[in-house]
């Protein structure tokens, strides 16, 4: 099962690398593709994201002109999200997911017996 990870990134040049570097551990060996939805940044977020994508084929960068998280969400959901993804994970670019987070979310959804459409994890400090 391939997971699709949507990462909202606006002015996250400093923290986005930490977020993207944590994805392999968060996936715990699972298959994923990360869609960085860079939206209207005024810093080097797009350049940082492109550099990381060049080094990892699982990262795809989408550069949106308008700084609008709701617009970035709509772009992902209505145009970018792969229809065959087993699960969609939404993260902000300043978040570093914990090791094993994605399989844990997938297990929570499976454990709901098809009754749940979403699962969430609380942030840790």
């Amino acid at each position: 099962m391939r997971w699709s990870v949507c990462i909202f990134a606006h002015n996250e040049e400093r923290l986005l690398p930490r977020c993207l570097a944590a994805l392999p551990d968060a996936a715990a060996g699972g298959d994923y593709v990360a869609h960085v939805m860079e939206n209207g940044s005024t810093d080097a977020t797009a350049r940082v994201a492109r550099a990381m994508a060049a080094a990892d084929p699982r990262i795809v960068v989408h550069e949106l002109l308008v700084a609008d998280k709701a617009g970035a969400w709509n772009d992902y959901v209505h145009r970018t999200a792969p229809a065959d993804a087993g699960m969609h994970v939404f993260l902000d670019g300043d978040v570093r997911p914990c090791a094993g987070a994605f399989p844990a979310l997938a297990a929570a959804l499976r454990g709901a017996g098809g009754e749940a459409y979403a699962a969430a994890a609380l942030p840790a400090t």
Side-chain angles (χ1 to χ4, degrees):
M1 167 189 344
R2 177 173 250 195
W3 300 317
S4 182
V5 182
C6 174
I7 301 171
F8 301 110
H10 175 76
N11 291 340
E12 293 296 348
E13 71 176 295
R14 186 174 66 83
L15 295 175
L16 183 61
R18 194 176 74 159
C19 174
L20 293 171
L23 296 181
D25 286 341
D31 188 22
Y32 70 91
V33 62
H35 295 274
V36 177
M37 307 303 287
E38 188 282 322
N39 60 98
S41 296
T42 57
D43 65 1
T45 298
R47 181 179 52 77
V48 168
R50 285 191 309 270
M52 295 194 75
D56 186 340
R58 296 172 295 189
I59 301 171
V60 180
V61 179
H62 307 272
E63 294 182 52
L64 309 174
L65 297 178
V66 178
D68 179 13
K69 186 174 184 177
W73 189 94
N74 281 325
D75 194 276
Y76 174 78
V77 169
H78 296 291
R79 286 184 280 282
T80 304
D84 62 346
M87 177 176 72
H88 297 272
V89 177
F90 294 86
L91 296 171
D92 283 338
D94 61 351
V95 171
R96 183 175 50 196
C98 296
F102 300 164
L105 287 171
L109 287 169
R110 279 192 312 274
E115 297 295 320
Y117 292 103
L122 297 175
T125 57

